[in-house]
């Protein structure tokens, strides 16, 4: 019973991780398009604080679920891809706010989203 509850929590965290990854990617792309194309939303959408908080949350959830996932199903691929994604996202936290940060974030969250989805498929 405890094991089922634990697995249910991990599955929920993987789903939240996929959602956060998608929202993060959408935020980066929408921010670039709005600011470059329309000159709107720069203060809110591209705020460094907004980006850092969301990215840090995605990194923490990603790291937890990747480790739990590989411990459960033994497939190292989600951990490897997700770890690479988390590394890119972590670097994005420390580079200047701009195109480099956006590229690192988009690539990182894409890898992390794939890892979350793979964890969910392996658990099924």
């Amino acid at each position: 019973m405890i094991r089922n509850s634990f697995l249910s929590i991990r599955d929920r965290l993987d789903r939240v991780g996929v959602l956060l990854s998608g929202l993060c990617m959408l935020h980066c792309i929408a921010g670039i398009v709005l600011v470059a194309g329309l000159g709107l939303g720069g203060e809110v959408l591209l705020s460094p604080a907004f980006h850092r908080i969301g990215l840090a949350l995605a990194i923490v959830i990603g790291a937890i679920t990747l480790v739990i996932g590989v411990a459960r199903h033994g497939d190292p691929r989600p951990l490897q891809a997700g770890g690479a994604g988390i590394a890119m996202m972590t670097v994005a936290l420390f580079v200047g706010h701009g195109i480099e940060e956006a590229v690192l974030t988009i690539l990182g969250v894409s890898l992390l989203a794939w890892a979350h989805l793979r964890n969910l498929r392996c658990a099924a």
Side-chain angles (χ1 to χ4, degrees):
M1 183 165 147
I2 292 174
R3 179 170 158 70
N4 288 339
S5 296
F6 183 70
L7 295 176
S8 176
I9 291 169
R10 189 206 42 92
D11 285 350
R12 286 186 187 137
L13 284 174
D14 270 324
R15 286 181 174 83
V16 168
V18 170
L19 177 65
L20 282 174
S21 294
L23 289 174
C24 193
M25 188 181 314
L26 180 64
H27 167 258
C28 287
I29 293 170
I32 290 169
V33 169
L34 286 174
V35 171
L38 304 173
L40 302 172
E43 286 185 34
V44 176
L45 284 177
L46 294 179
S47 166
F50 183 81
H51 183 261
R52 286 190 178 107
I53 291 168
L55 202 51
L57 183 61
I59 288 169
V60 170
I61 290 174
I64 291 168
T65 58
L66 289 174
V67 171
I68 292 170
V70 78
R72 177 165 185 260
H73 54 66
D75 185 354
R77 290 177 292 183
L79 181 61
Q80 293 162 347
I86 287 173
M88 288 179 190
M89 293 161 62
T90 302
V91 172
L93 286 173
F94 297 102
V95 299
H97 198 64
I99 195 71
E100 297 87 4
E101 179 189 40
V103 169
L104 284 166
T105 299
I106 291 168
L107 291 174
V109 299
S110 296
L111 284 170
L112 187 57
W114 178 89
H116 284 302
L117 291 171
R118 182 73 185 171
N119 262 346
L120 289 168
R121 285 188 190 123
C122 289

